[in-house]
Amino acid sequence: MKRHNNDIQPIVTIVMPFYNHKEDVMNMVESIAKGKWTKWQLLAIDDGSTDGTAECLHNGYANDPRVEVISRNRMPKGAQTCRNMGLDMAKGKYIVFFDSDDLVSEECLKVRVAEMERNEDMDFMVFPSGVMVHGQPNTGPHPYCYGFDIYKDDTAAFAMRQLPFIVWNNIYRTESLRRCQLRWCEQLLSLQDADFNIAALAAGLKYKYANVAQDYFYRIDSSGSVSKKIENKNHADSHLLACERMIKAVKGTWGDRYDCYLYRGALTIYNARMSGKGIDSHFAQKMVDMMRQYCPWQATILNWQRKISEWLGYVIPQKTARQIPMVFFLIAQQWRIRQKTKAIDHILKQTNHTPER
């Protein structure tokens, strides 16, 4: 299904892949359409929906030339392929990548464009987000809030998988992405946002955090999001690829400076992959082998942690056996989550922004 309007000249292009979840998709598009700024183009790219979402969206916005419903026309299946299609088709001076099951504030696009216009030397800008639970936006501090300037070094944070911002926090100059030939990795089944963001940092794109109200609300109770299925066994090879791409991007640009952070990032993926499952010896060995190519010292430590886990697994439950060699890392990880939430809370109290929804 496809509907184009070649006469539209938007200022900002919204690229939004979708797959089923009709009600969520329609709510998201409605939140965009009722915004206070109108010079946008929405490329809603269907990843093969089977529940009539594409038809509903097409019929619901048949009279709005800004909304284009497009079918993914090539493989592989996935949001990353749809986003690359949208990047190729974008007409706007600026571009944003939104998820289809979230919501935006009425001021979102208006404020983002205004901030970019005021910061002509920036390739992209980062905007704070809130969360949404059971359909209700929440502007309070939460571990899944992103886009706040709380890290001393964003590259270090990305390397250890702390995620200072997600792609939907950002608005980019379309020309900047095309000039640097930034693309979404179509082989990744998850963790694509961090991959795209670290590629932007490695390419030298200039960015700045915007001190404005939260304008995007991430649905944390969605059953359809790929990011909520990170533990699925079908993603094992994708996790390894994501980890390797992060290491290559960071070391290729900054050398050995962030090796300790890359090790922590590998541990994050290692434990997330096995969360609640004990020990996946095959995945653990592959992770060690991959790390040896780029961070041999850290790979040696990881290998000893793997071996200790497997030895302990013969006498105690495997989940506990995996966690014992990781105990200091796991404690530090929980501490970092609490510190992040406190830092966001402090910023929100200082700024006292109240977004319109």
Side-chain angles (χ1 to χ4, degrees):
M1 180 179 296
K2 185 181 298 185
R3 174 166 58 81
H4 298 296
N5 187 317
N6 294 324
D7 296 327
I8 191 170
Q9 294 297 325
I11 302 298
V12 60
T13 294
I14 306 158
V15 177
M16 188 194 77
F18 67 91
Y19 176 73
N20 292 338
H21 295 271
K22 184 188 307 180
E23 183 177 350
D24 291 342
V25 173
M26 296 303 291
N27 286 338
M28 177 56 164
V29 177
E30 181 183 1
S31 75
I32 295 170
K34 72 178 183 181
K36 296 182 176 180
W37 198 77
T38 61
K39 298 177 182 178
W40 48 263
Q41 167 197 31
L42 171 61
L43 301 179
I45 305 177
D46 181 20
D47 194 31
S49 297
T50 58
D51 67 348
T53 300
E55 291 79 8
C56 185
L57 184 56
H58 182 274
N59 294 334
Y61 290 89
N63 295 323
D64 191 337
R66 300 171 300 175
V67 179
E68 303 184 29
V69 184
I70 303 155
S71 297
R72 174 178 50 78
N73 57 12
R74 63 178 179 83
M75 298 297 285
K77 174 179 171 59
Q80 60 277 18
T81 302
C82 297
R83 291 179 183 127
N84 280 336
M85 287 177 56
L87 181 54
D88 291 337
M89 299 170 61
K91 298 177 182 177
K93 177 181 179 181
Y94 306 112
I95 187 169
V96 294
F97 298 95
F98 287 166
D99 285 351
S100 62
D101 56 349
D102 299 329
L103 290 178
V104 297
S105 73
E106 293 183 2
E107 297 281 353
C108 178
L109 296 177
K110 177 183 177 181
V111 172
R112 290 195 183 194
V113 170
E115 288 292 317
M116 287 297 285
E117 294 289 297
R118 280 196 289 267
N119 293 273
E120 296 182 354
D121 57 332
M122 293 295 120
D123 295 301
F124 70 97
M125 290 192 67
V126 183
F127 292 76
S129 63
V131 297
M132 183 170 55
V133 183
H134 305 308
Q136 297 300 315
N138 187 327
T139 59
H142 192 280
Y144 289 151
C145 288
Y146 302 98
F148 292 85
D149 189 8
I150 60 176
Y151 296 99
K152 293 181 180 179
D153 186 332
D154 284 349
T155 300
F158 275 116
M160 61 180 173
R161 299 284 169 177
Q162 284 194 279
L163 306 183
F165 47 84
I166 310 297
V167 172
W168 35 251
N169 287 114
N170 306 341
I171 179 170
Y172 302 86
R173 294 189 192 277
T174 308
E175 187 276 332
S176 296
L177 297 185
R178 290 173 175 167
R179 182 187 72 245
C180 295
Q181 299 181 329
L182 288 182
R183 307 288 290 175
W184 291 82
C185 177
E186 297 180 4
Q187 287 69 49
L188 291 179
L189 303 179
S190 58
L191 309 178
Q192 303 104 323
D193 282 78
D195 183 81
F196 191 88
N197 281 324
I198 199 65
L201 269 59
L205 265 61
K206 295 179 63 177
Y207 70 100
K208 179 180 179 182
Y209 286 86
N211 182 23
V212 297
Q214 293 155 285
D215 67 0
Y216 190 99
F217 299 93
Y218 170 54
R219 187 186 299 272
I220 61 175
D221 57 351
S222 171
S223 62
S225 172
V226 170
S227 64
K228 316 300 190 303
K229 301 177 180 178
I230 193 170
E231 298 169 16
N232 190 302
K233 65 180 181 180
N234 295 327
H235 289 76
D237 289 341
S238 178
H239 293 347
L240 290 167
L241 176 60
C243 191
E244 183 172 23
R245 285 177 59 87
M246 175 68 73
I247 292 172
K248 283 183 175 180
V250 172
K251 290 184 73 71
T253 305
W254 295 280
D256 299 336
R257 175 180 173 183
Y258 293 106
D259 279 9
C260 64
Y261 299 102
L262 291 168
Y263 164 67
R264 295 177 201 171
L267 288 186
T268 299
I269 293 178
Y270 180 93
N271 284 282
R273 165 67 192 152
M274 301 183 220
S275 178
K277 301 178 182 178
I279 303 170
D280 183 338
S281 298
H282 181 68
F283 178 80
Q285 185 61 62
K286 280 195 168 184
M287 177 70 81
V288 170
D289 292 342
M290 184 274 296
M291 288 288 290
R292 277 200 185 107
Q293 300 178 56
Y294 308 99
C295 304
W297 172 240
Q298 286 76 15
T300 299
I301 300 173
L302 178 60
N303 193 40
W304 274 108
Q305 290 171 309
R306 176 190 67 83
K307 287 181 177 180
I308 292 170
S309 293
E310 291 181 353
W311 293 336
L312 291 173
Y314 289 113
V315 294
I316 62 176
Q318 287 202 346
K319 179 179 178 181
T320 304
R322 173 178 56 81
Q323 292 176 335
I324 287 175
M326 306 279 178
V327 63
F328 294 112
F329 166 76
L330 294 173
I331 291 172
Q333 189 177 52
Q334 291 303 310
W335 178 83
R336 285 192 291 268
I337 291 172
R338 289 194 295 270
Q339 291 301 111
K340 171 188 175 180
T341 306
K342 289 181 180 179
I344 292 173
D345 185 39
H346 177 73
I347 291 175
L348 291 174
K349 288 178 179 177
Q350 291 293 315
T351 58
N352 195 30
H353 287 304
T354 303
E356 296 185 43
R357 300 189 291 277

